[in-house]
Amino acid sequence: MMPLLERLQGVVDILDDSNMELESPRSGESGYIPSPPQMLAEAVVGLLAHADISKVSLDLGCGNGGWMLLAAAAGFASHGVEINPFLVSHLQRNYERAIAAGLIDPATPCSWTIGDMIPVRLSAQYGEFRRLHKAQERTMPIAAVREDSYARLPVDPSTADIVYCWAWPTQSRFVFNMLQDCAKGDALFVLPSYEEYAASTDKAEENALHLARLCGMGKVYVGRRA
Ligand SMILES: C[S@@+](CC[C@H](N)C(=O)[O-])C[C@H]1O[C@@H](n2cnc3c(N)ncnc32)[C@H](O)[C@@H]1O
């Protein structure tokens, strides 16, 4: 395989194309707001200082595959859940391009599913979030949230070694609280824009391990669950 930085750059190029296409009027104003791929690539490099590639990454709301595909290119087993099927069609194509270009080793486990990132067993606990879901029903394929997405993946938020999430702003605090509740003890979180939420908990000190400044979008936050 080609060197890591070349592989990451190749995936960044694929994601830049895909993001540009999603922004174009032809995509019918998808409203998709991806993290800058270059920033994610830097976060992957930073993550390698804290986690070896035997670790399993889970991307909550993986969109067109930004974090997932870069983590897979670095060699992490990489899985994702995304509620929007249109974005998943982009993810599928981006993955195929990355495989064809030799940027991701086909032997690296990489899978995703269309559905809700909130495990069914936690949904009663998060009634407010469900209410928001209903309010957003018109823009979400709500049928996708009827069954547990994790029944179709080899990992869930309580078993993942690495959890990436950049959810919609209305869900940020909810997601952070959920991860504090259910992630496994030594899980690593990669949470762009979550610094203020991390700092608002009493775990802020232990979690305060910052890797990279983001381009106008806050910071990539990597924290280990206390
Ligand atoms: C701000 S975008 C970030 C996309 C990508 N993860 C990134 O960082 O570039 C949020 C993504 O989360 C997805 N999403 C929002 N709520 C979700 C839910 N409850 N379950 C699964 N995906 C969700 C959206 O469709 C969108 O793709």
Side-chain angles (χ1 to χ4, degrees):
M1 286 223 105
M2 63 186 87
L4 172 67
L5 294 183
E6 269 177 53
R7 297 200 303 275
L8 293 177
Q9 188 54 53
V11 176
V12 166
D13 292 344
I14 289 172
L15 292 166
D16 281 340
D17 282 355
S18 172
N19 290 340
M20 218 181 318
E21 204 178 308
L22 282 164
E23 271 174 25
S24 83
R26 266 194 311 130
S27 293
E29 293 174 17
S30 70
Y32 182 55
I33 306 177
S35 304
Q38 190 63 46
M39 170 205 92
L40 294 179
E42 286 162 19
V44 169
V45 173
L47 179 67
L48 285 165
H50 305 282
D52 66 66
I53 58 167
S54 69
K55 304 291 185 201
V56 177
S57 168
L58 173 63
D59 186 338
L60 303 173
C62 59
N64 62 346
W67 176 261
M68 268 193 71
L69 300 182
L70 287 160
F76 293 104
S78 194
H79 307 281
V81 182
E82 169 55 51
I83 206 162
N84 184 334
F86 180 59
L87 295 176
V88 172
S89 66
H90 270 255
L91 163 57
Q92 173 79 41
R93 199 188 56 184
N94 294 339
Y95 175 71
E96 284 165 10
R97 284 186 66 189
I99 290 282
L103 304 169
I104 294 177
D105 181 345
T108 301
C110 190
S111 68
W112 53 85
T113 190
I114 299 173
D116 190 351
M117 64 182 169
I118 308 306
V120 163
R121 70 178 190 284
L122 295 179
S123 46
Q125 211 176 321
Y126 295 103
E128 171 63 7
F129 175 76
R130 289 291 162 190
R131 199 187 58 69
L132 285 170
H133 253 192
K134 266 209 121 17
Q136 290 162 347
E137 204 159 331
R138 268 188 307 228
T139 57
M140 272 206 228
I142 209 75
V145 308
R146 293 217 178 97
E147 30 172 295
D148 197 331
S149 314
Y150 301 101
R152 306 189 290 269
L153 289 179
V155 62
D156 73 21
S158 67
T159 61
D161 301 306
I162 300 159
V163 181
Y164 175 91
C165 186
W166 183 30
W168 293 329
T170 49
Q171 300 177 10
S172 299
R173 179 172 287 281
F174 165 80
V175 170
F176 189 77
N177 289 344
M178 176 185 94
L179 293 176
Q180 287 292 339
D181 279 1
C182 77
K184 70 185 217 185
D186 57 352
L188 285 162
F189 302 144
V190 184
L191 307 169
S193 305
Y194 277 70
E195 192 180 359
E196 64 182 284
Y197 300 108
S200 70
T201 76
D202 57 4
K203 307 232 170 56
E205 281 303 311
E206 297 119 285
N207 285 341
L209 179 59
H210 305 299
L211 285 189
R213 269 203 176 276
L214 299 198
C215 337
M217 289 202 184
K219 291 177 181 179
V220 166
Y221 168 83
V222 173
R224 190 180 288 273
R225 186 183 167 180

